[in-house]
Amino acid sequence: MLTHAPAHETKPEHNQSAVPFKLGPRRGVFINAAHRLLHDGAPLDAAAVAHCEEFDLVYRTLVAVMYNYAPLSGHPGGSISSGRFVSRLLFETMDYGLDQPARPDADIISYAAGHKALGLYALWALRNEIARLAAPDLLPKDDMFQLRLEDLLGFRRNPLNAAPLAQELRAKALDGHPTPATPFVRLSTGASGVGLPASIGLAWGAADLYGANAPRVHIIEGEGGLTPGRVAEALAAAGTASLGNVILHIDWNQASIDSNRVCRDGATPGDYVQWTPTELAYLNDWNVIYVPEGFDWQQITLAQRLALTLTNGQPTAIVYRTVKGWQYGIEGRASHGAGHALCSAGFYAAVAPLLPKGTVPLPCCDGSTQRCGGGSDAAVVEKCYWETLGYIRQALAARRPTVDALAAQLRAARSRLEARALHPRSAAPRLEAAYVMAAGAQTQLPPELTLRPGTKTTLREEFGKVLNHYNKVTGGAVIVASADLMGSTSIGKAGDGFPAGFYNRGTNPLARQLATGGICEDAMTAMLAGISTFGSHIGAGSSYGAFSAPLGHIAARLHAIGNQARIAVEGGHGRPFFLVCAHAGLKTGEDGPTHADPQPLQLLQDNFPLGTMITLTPWDPQEIWYLVGAALAHRPAVIAPFVTRPPETVLDRAALGLPPASAAAKGVYCLRAATGKSAGTIVLQGTGVTNAFLTGALPLLDREGPNLNVYVVTSTELFDLLPRQEREQIFPEAHQQEAMGITDYTLATMTRWVRSDYGRRHSLHPFRHGHFLGSGSGAKVMAEAGLDGVAQFDAIRAYVQGR
């Protein structure tokens, strides 16, 4: 085996006698598939190569047809350049059953390069057609779990698509970038590099559940998709964790939307980066198999077979050198998100090798002919599209030897899966126990989590302890990560009682702390979303709320989209992960306005479809257990707790006449009801302002009046999930119409509770004075903002007097 690294030696110009730079030791190895082919010989015989060529011709033609008719939309170039190596995955390399798309022990293919969705749908449809023709017993009985040629009429169409043939043929709505609404798609991908770390998260979930002999996750990406920062973070994380069940397939075609030279190419600098995909992967301790001729069936097949034989425990990247838009008639970046004009001469030239215009009576929709009615009317285009798909169906059926050979490979893929007989490892996590416990959380507070009044603790520490309790009950179903803040944010407490240190599949596989590249909120959030998506764990990632909310927002949104799509097809529940917004709000004032940020809640609260995101804003450490249980019981896609850094005194709520901490699980509760006629309503949200109200403003109100209703918001979404009648009983609409708000966060997070302009004018929030706040102790910053107890009292008195 070749074990040399990619060329990387240089001599510093200022000292030509210095020792050449050389990378340190790596566990990963480098293999050039072309060199290895000379040594091992060709893996495919002539008949097999011929079948591959026949299939690829049909596939490339279908890609051109889909772009032409649907309607001039999608990314034909990358779909074509990746088609050959992906087809080998589907028909030779992967172990899976076509009849069970969601089978957990099967190998997974994940299109991190979501813009290649056009190619994904074309491959899925042709695979389905091959099974229909030659192995119908392999297909799922329910069409919902197939992707048929008929479904291609729904490419990039809205679910309300009223096109007549799409309705008649029950075509699925196929999203512009893949989502789990499509069979065999586990994740929503395509958004700024999220797909690769989320796919690595899938692999982690599989590795932890199944142990040493875990399903493999094959990830499809291009070199442009390696340029986002979160991807570099994820590559580092996978290499560090020795996730050997990851195989990354890189379509190195050098073309993006704006560039035809993304990476350095030999001595020619790249427009965007100065590494090659082989160097980037090898730097991060991955095995690298380089395929210099990315369209050569022998090199492709050999590379994929070699990847399955590597036993050093490191993830593997196979880098295929290709040409975007190969043989389409438009190459490079011009074919990235564009192609031939509708029914143009270029389109007919692209499909001519399979569907020659003089032989096959192809329809034309450009208005130059009356066939299909002429013109570009949607119904006309759809009719032409369906007729052309029919010709492709005929062309595939006419290649019966190829169909039979590929169907046999699909059957072999299922046989290999059955032969592997994978089972979860002994003492594997029992995730369902978490949801059983969450369902009873409102009545069963564990003794070790009971807090004694008068003591001090932090919200972040109690959150870590609650996660640890869930972890112990489930046998390690909670995996935690942080942006180099495992102890600082107390998220590391979730791993207490499990092996110390960070997870490594080979040397520390039972640790529940995962390193995600260092200070890497981007990759951390996406990886944890992928871990939760696999379905056997709950991920939890922590950083300053100022960073985790904005940097984790894309991954959280895609995770919510994916959960929604999966549930619509398969049923079931959401698979949550925790996006922990620690060191939240102004009480982190010592770190200054760059860190003590009141804005993160505004990014998440009321900003997702109801039921997909639940934010938690406790003010009392005693509320954490009940809020976490209530959130998990609803099984959203994302749970975002806002927990502060400084210690809080545990209050004797009963002695103070406050409702029990379990009231927080409703999302809103009445902290104090007016006796007799009310002079107004106050709504509080956040640890800082609520404690300041109780210790500073409330004693003054008790001494001087006025008589008020006081409410606390602990979770907007938990409140919104209650029945309407119960919401009205807890927080009447009339009280919202008259309320003023006091919040640790922004005014925008209060507007749904404070319904009048008058109430909003009198509400207190960190930006009320029109500037970012300064540094200092939490108390000083609160005072600067006018949120301390005395300032609250003055503002409340002005609000009451003005009414």
Side-chain angles (χ1 to χ4, degrees):
M1 177 180 291
L2 299 174
T3 57
H4 60 277
H8 51 253
E9 294 189 1
T10 60
K11 291 184 178 181
E13 292 183 2
H14 66 278
N15 184 0
Q16 294 297 319
S17 64
V19 176
F21 171 76
K22 188 174 183 179
L23 289 176
R26 289 289 182 276
R27 292 164 290 185
V29 299
F30 177 83
I31 303 170
N32 186 309
H35 296 170
R36 188 61 179 262
L37 189 63
L38 294 174
H39 179 270
D40 291 3
L44 300 178
D45 60 24
V49 171
H51 294 320
C52 291
E53 289 288 355
E54 292 280 14
F55 178 82
D56 186 60
L57 175 60
V58 177
Y59 166 72
R60 286 186 285 108
T61 304
L62 180 55
V63 167
V65 166
M66 289 176 64
Y67 179 83
N68 186 66
Y69 290 113
L72 299 181
S73 181
H75 299 76
S79 296
I80 289 170
S81 57
S82 60
R84 290 195 163 207
F85 69 75
V86 177
S87 68
R88 286 289 78 203
L89 290 175
L90 296 181
F91 290 108
E92 175 174 290
T93 305
M94 292 174 57
D95 301 340
Y96 70 104
L98 192 55
D99 58 328
Q100 293 179 278
R103 185 166 163 170
D105 61 339
D107 288 348
I108 295 170
I109 185 168
S110 187
Y111 268 70
H115 63 275
K116 298 183 193 289
L118 189 157
L120 181 156
Y121 298 137
L123 284 167
W124 268 225
L126 291 175
R127 177 179 60 178
N128 204 85
E129 188 68 9
I130 285 168
R132 186 187 70 83
L133 290 169
D137 58 297
L138 296 181
L139 290 171
K141 292 182 173 56
D142 190 338
D143 287 354
M144 178 179 292
F145 301 108
Q146 300 183 33
L147 198 153
R148 310 159 301 151
L149 275 175
E150 289 83 350
D151 292 317
L152 299 183
L153 293 174
F155 177 51
R156 290 202 164 203
R157 302 290 188 180
N158 188 271
L160 298 180
N161 180 15
L165 285 171
Q167 289 191 333
E168 176 187 340
L169 298 171
R170 297 176 293 104
K172 297 179 177 68
L174 302 179
D175 290 305
H177 289 72
T179 73
T182 297
F184 290 98
V185 174
R186 303 292 184 94
L187 300 163
S188 294
T189 62
S192 191
V194 167
L196 194 144
S199 301
I200 288 174
L202 283 177
W204 189 97
D208 190 64
L209 182 64
Y210 286 97
N213 190 21
R216 304 176 190 91
V217 177
H218 295 270
I219 307 171
I220 312 303
E221 189 51 281
E223 83 291 325
L226 301 179
T227 60
R230 58 170 57 91
V231 171
E233 297 166 4
L235 293 174
T240 300
S242 298
L243 286 177
N245 63 327
V246 173
I247 303 180
L248 172 61
H249 301 265
I250 301 172
D251 175 18
W252 183 14
N253 56 51
Q254 276 290 62
S256 66
I257 298 173
D258 293 333
S259 172
N260 276 321
R261 196 171 61 247
V262 171
C263 304
R264 190 193 75 253
D265 196 353
T268 305
D271 287 340
Y272 291 165
V273 295
Q274 305 315 313
W275 43 251
T276 69
T278 56
E279 292 168 345
L280 179 65
Y282 191 78
L283 174 68
N284 284 291
D285 210 2
W286 288 53
N287 299 313
V288 176
I289 303 175
Y290 178 49
V291 181
E293 298 294 335
F295 297 126
D296 182 88
W297 295 110
Q298 305 289 9
Q299 290 189 26
I300 292 169
T301 303
L302 179 66
Q304 293 183 9
R305 290 183 182 180
L306 285 172
L308 302 183
T309 68
L310 297 175
T311 58
N312 57 18
Q314 292 305 102
T316 297
I318 306 179
V319 181
Y320 309 86
R321 193 63 194 265
T322 66
V323 176
K324 182 169 281 190
W326 180 68
Q327 295 193 7
Y328 176 59
I330 301 175
E331 292 186 351
R333 70 185 186 92
S335 68
H336 179 88
H340 298 293
L342 178 65
C343 292
S344 63
F347 163 67
Y348 288 112
V351 302
L354 182 72
L355 305 175
K357 194 171 184 182
T359 304
V360 179
L362 289 174
C364 183
C365 303
D366 66 354
S368 63
T369 176
Q370 292 304 305
R371 186 172 181 81
C372 283
S376 57
D377 175 82
V380 171
V381 172
E382 186 193 41
K383 188 172 184 291
C384 295
Y385 185 13
W386 178 235
E387 185 174 340
T388 306
L389 289 177
Y391 290 128
I392 289 178
R393 173 170 272 163
Q394 293 172 20
L396 182 63
R399 289 159 169 77
R400 190 67 195 212
T402 294
V403 169
D404 290 340
L406 295 177
Q409 289 189 306
L410 291 175
R411 199 175 296 282
R414 188 173 70 172
S415 296
R416 289 194 304 271
L417 176 61
E418 299 296 348
R420 289 179 72 182
L422 301 184
H423 297 285
R425 62 178 171 84
S426 61
R430 306 174 306 279
L431 179 59
E432 195 58 33
Y435 299 117
V436 171
M437 186 166 65
Q442 305 316 309
T443 58
Q444 300 174 8
L445 175 64
E448 64 269 27
L449 296 177
T450 302
L451 299 176
R452 184 165 54 86
T455 60
K456 287 195 171 186
T457 187
T458 62
L459 272 73
R460 57 186 169 89
E461 181 172 354
E462 294 311 310
F463 178 70
K465 289 179 179 178
V466 168
L467 288 189
N468 182 245
H469 187 80
Y470 276 91
N471 225 0
K472 290 177 177 177
V473 167
T474 59
V478 179
I479 180 73
V480 298
S482 78
D484 198 32
L485 295 165
M486 199 72 78
S488 175
T489 63
S490 300
I491 194 77
K493 287 189 170 295
D496 288 355
F498 296 87
F502 291 115
Y503 171 92
N504 180 278
R505 192 181 179 207
T507 61
N508 199 14
L510 299 182
R512 298 295 89 179
Q513 297 183 11
L514 179 64
T516 55
I519 306 173
C520 299
E521 289 90 350
D522 281 336
M524 174 186 76
T525 311
M527 284 183 65
L528 293 170
I531 288 171
S532 291
T533 294
F534 187 76
S536 298
H537 304 81
I538 295 173
S542 183
S543 183
Y544 281 78
F547 313 141
S548 57
L551 295 176
H553 190 275
I554 297 175
R557 185 172 58 84
L558 265 65
H559 185 60
I561 292 168
N563 273 255
Q564 174 183 286
R566 176 183 51 78
I567 292 169
V569 175
E570 300 177 12
H573 303 281
R575 295 174 179 173
F577 82 95
F578 285 93
L579 177 61
V580 185
C581 298
H583 299 342
L586 305 187
K587 300 196 88 172
T588 313
E590 295 89 348
D591 288 329
T594 56
H595 290 54
D597 182 9
Q599 296 173 285
L601 182 63
Q602 186 175 339
L603 297 175
L604 306 177
Q605 179 181 287
D606 279 334
N607 209 17
F608 284 66
L610 183 62
T612 61
M613 161 73 76
I614 293 179
T615 59
L616 307 177
T617 53
W619 67 271
D620 179 356
Q622 298 173 92
E623 296 176 341
I624 299 288
W625 166 259
Y626 300 104
L627 283 169
V628 169
L632 282 174
H634 282 288
R635 300 199 196 189
V638 189
I639 303 171
F642 285 72
V643 291
T644 49
R645 183 165 68 188
E648 307 291 347
T649 300
V650 177
L651 301 179
D652 188 336
R653 295 175 71 117
L656 293 171
L658 304 179
S662 59
K666 299 291 186 180
V668 176
Y669 62 93
C670 185
L671 190 70
R672 179 168 175 156
T675 56
K677 183 175 175 57
S678 168
T681 296
I682 309 299
V683 185
L684 303 165
Q685 187 173 25
T687 309
V689 298
T690 305
N691 278 288
F693 176 84
L694 288 170
T695 59
L698 187 57
L700 295 172
L701 291 169
D702 284 342
R703 188 177 70 207
E704 302 183 24
N707 189 23
L708 299 164
N709 293 302
V710 182
Y711 293 90
V712 175
V713 178
T714 53
S715 172
T716 295
E717 295 81 10
L718 286 178
F719 181 75
D720 286 344
L721 288 165
L722 296 174
R724 181 172 182 175
Q725 184 176 1
E726 186 174 4
R727 295 200 305 269
E728 178 64 19
Q729 290 174 348
I730 292 172
F731 192 5
E733 181 83 14
H735 289 180
Q736 297 178 42
Q737 293 291 346
E738 70 180 17
M740 70 168 280
I742 306 177
T743 180
D744 282 351
Y745 307 105
T746 57
L747 179 61
T749 62
M750 272 279 129
T751 54
R752 59 90 38 85
W753 311 112
V754 180
R755 300 293 185 85
S756 70
D757 289 341
Y758 178 83
R760 291 170 187 169
R761 285 199 305 273
H762 284 80
S763 292
L764 303 182
H765 56 92
F767 293 157
R768 189 167 189 243
H769 300 308
H771 61 82
F772 291 101
L773 302 171
S775 303
S777 68
K780 285 291 185 185
V781 177
M782 293 280 290
E784 181 192 1
L787 294 172
D788 60 287
V790 173
Q792 287 186 30
F793 172 74
D794 291 340
I796 292 169
R797 184 165 54 183
Y799 153 76
V800 171
Q801 291 172 352
R803 294 186 73 222

